[in-house]
Amino acid sequence: MQLSTTELDRREAFCRELAYDAARLALDGFHRQMGQPVGMKGPQDYLTETDGEVERHIRDRIAATFPHDAFLGEETGADAAAGAKGAVVWVVDPIDGTANFARAIPHFCVSISLVANDEIQIGAIVNPATDDLFFARMGRGATLNGHTVRVAATDDIRAASFELGWSPRIPAARYIGALSALLEAGSNVRRGASGALALAYVACGRSDGYAELHMNSWDCLAGLLLVQEAGGIVGPFLSRGGLFDGAPVLAAVPALAGVLSQSTGIPILSGLGRISSPVTVNI
């Protein structure tokens, strides 16, 4: 289903409101969570009660407002409609940076994006602890709390600060190799443990680039759109099957994207890449 500009306008306004609403729920959970035990889905993969609460809230709100739209969430998965060709899909990470959240570190976020017309159309990332809303709409730029943002103008690797994400799906040696290459090139490398916020930080100039050898779509779609709309360079994602299977992620300021690409082995192509074919989803 192709969405018109008017239909996208409605979803943009709804997404802004939904992001703030979900952030309030997440912040309440953050205050309740402090000092409480947490569950584990796998190695270094935390799960809290708030993850489920926030995702259910977002999913229910979307279903009530746009009943024909599909949904893909980190905790509850995809509904049957999400894999249809041309589907309008909301992609949600209720708490990105759950390890921080679980340890009472106020560096986590809610990430909401909309894939329509086979491209990322809308992206929202909100940090409940700081009340910062990063928002982008395809072709209309990126903002932080309503103010236009652009990627940094950094063009000297010796002044660059990158962030690297880590995934247990990828051998540690590849991550260490990328880290070593960036350090040897002269850059600083950080890790904040929230890939979505890391991408938002590239978009607003707080960081010069972010790379992760494997990311899920709910972690990165909103951030990739933010970076692209803020004038940054990104690698392909949707065209590599990233919506349902995940893919490598790269985002950087234009002058240093090549260094980040060479150091990590993640290619740079023009744009995020359209969804090239329908995908079958097992529910």
Side-chain angles (χ1 to χ4, degrees):
M1 179 174 69
Q2 294 288 303
L3 291 186
S4 67
T5 299
T6 299
E7 291 169 326
L8 285 169
D9 288 344
R10 287 185 59 217
R11 285 165 175 80
E12 177 184 351
F14 170 77
C15 186
R16 290 180 185 275
E17 177 190 351
L18 181 61
Y20 280 124
D21 198 26
R24 286 191 290 270
L25 187 60
L27 189 60
D28 288 343
F30 180 66
H31 293 315
R32 295 196 311 269
Q33 176 63 40
M34 292 182 181
Q36 299 299 312
V38 298
M40 300 292 291
K41 294 185 288 184
Q44 298 299 320
D45 193 359
Y46 290 79
L47 176 65
T48 72
E49 185 177 290
T50 305
D51 288 272
E53 289 178 354
V54 174
E55 183 159 317
R56 284 191 297 272
H57 176 78
I58 294 172
R59 188 169 192 152
D60 289 348
R61 286 283 311 277
I62 291 170
T65 309
F66 300 105
H68 299 296
D69 290 1
F71 185 88
L72 171 61
E74 178 178 14
E75 305 306 329
T76 57
D79 54 35
K85 183 177 181 179
V88 176
V89 187
W90 293 89
V91 185
V92 172
D93 191 340
I95 303 290
D96 184 63
T98 309
N100 290 339
F101 181 97
R103 294 176 181 270
I105 299 170
H107 187 77
F108 63 93
C109 65
V110 179
S111 178
I112 305 171
S113 56
L114 178 73
V115 175
N117 306 342
D118 293 335
E119 295 183 290
I120 309 169
Q121 299 286 345
I122 294 169
I125 294 173
V126 57
N127 182 342
T130 60
D131 201 29
D132 282 335
L133 174 64
F134 301 86
F135 197 92
R137 171 137 168 215
M138 191 177 76
R140 299 192 179 185
T143 61
L144 168 56
N145 297 330
H147 300 284
T148 299
V149 293
R150 300 288 294 176
V151 298
T154 311
D155 60 4
D156 185 344
I157 191 63
R158 297 168 299 178
S161 184
F162 294 122
E163 189 169 341
L164 277 183
W166 169 82
S167 169
R169 298 175 184 84
I170 303 297
R174 287 191 58 195
Y175 172 83
I176 294 170
L179 173 62
S180 296
L182 288 170
L183 292 174
E184 289 171 3
S187 70
N188 177 39
V189 181
R190 300 177 293 186
R191 173 164 159 73
S194 170
L197 275 179
L199 289 165
Y201 281 14
V202 176
C204 72
R206 295 176 182 174
S207 179
D208 297 309
Y210 180 77
E212 188 164 338
L213 297 171
H214 183 278
M215 279 185 96
N216 292 310
S217 58
W218 47 79
D219 294 319
C220 67
L221 290 189
L224 286 171
L225 181 62
L226 277 160
V227 173
Q228 181 170 272
E229 289 297 315
I233 301 296
V234 300
F237 190 82
L238 291 179
S239 61
R240 301 186 72 177
L243 182 60
F244 296 105
D245 296 332
V249 164
L250 181 145
V253 299
L256 301 177
V259 176
L260 188 57
S261 175
Q262 183 176 11
S263 298
T264 61
I266 302 172
I268 299 170
L269 295 178
S270 57
L272 302 173
R274 296 172 62 88
I275 298 174
S276 56
S277 60
V279 180
T280 300
V281 183
N282 295 320
I283 305 301

